[in-house]
Amino acid sequence: MNRHKLLLWISECTGDEIWSIQHCQQRGVPADWITELRDVYESGFQSPSQMIYFAEKLVNQFEGVRDVDLACRIAAALGMNVAKIVSSSVSRSDCVNKIKESLEED
C-alpha cells in the first residue's frame, strides 16, 4: 500500500465521521478494507453526538465506514501498535489524534 495515500486518508479522519461507501471508493480505499469495515449505523437521539447527518440532513440509519476504524486500519498497515493506542484513548477522536501524533513523531 502506498504510504502517501495512507497518510492522505489519515489526514482526513477526525474520529467522529462516517465515510459513505461511495466516498471511500472515490478516495481509493481498497474494496477489501471497505468490506471489512463497513457497517450500518443508527442515529441515537439522546445527545447531538449520537445523531448521524448526511447531506446536512438527520438520518435514522447510514451505511458506511467510521473514520476511526479506517484510521486504525491505516495505522495497522503502517506497522503501528493499534491495540496500545486504542486502549489508551478516551474517545474516537482521541484515538485518531494519537495515531496522527505517532505518525508525526516517525
Side-chain angles (χ1 to χ4, degrees):
M1 182 63 55
N2 180 313
R3 181 177 173 84
H4 175 71
K5 191 174 278 194
L6 294 173
L7 296 175
L8 180 63
W9 294 336
I10 194 79
S11 72
E12 296 178 32
C13 295
T14 66
D16 295 321
E17 303 290 327
I18 302 171
W19 289 20
S20 70
I21 301 306
Q22 181 181 15
H23 181 75
C24 290
Q25 292 167 337
Q26 289 172 341
R27 301 302 297 140
V29 176
D32 58 328
W33 286 21
I34 296 170
T35 300
E36 172 189 337
L37 301 173
R38 78 189 303 167
D39 206 342
V40 176
Y41 300 94
E42 292 189 22
S43 283
F45 297 99
Q46 304 213 355
S47 74
S49 66
Q50 296 175 335
M51 296 177 188
I52 301 172
Y53 291 86
F54 182 70
E56 299 183 22
K57 294 183 181 174
L58 180 64
V59 295
N60 289 329
Q61 294 183 335
F62 189 78
E63 182 177 17
V65 173
R66 293 187 319 167
D67 67 349
V68 65
D69 296 332
L70 181 60
C72 289
R73 186 67 178 84
I74 293 166
L78 293 169
M80 298 173 70
N81 185 341
V82 177
K84 182 178 177 181
I85 293 170
V86 169
S87 68
S88 68
S89 300
V90 295
S91 67
R92 294 184 307 263
S93 59
D94 183 49
C95 180
V96 171
N97 287 333
K98 285 182 179 189
I99 291 169
K100 289 178 180 181
E101 288 169 6
S102 294
L103 289 170
E104 288 174 4
E105 292 172 2
D106 284 347

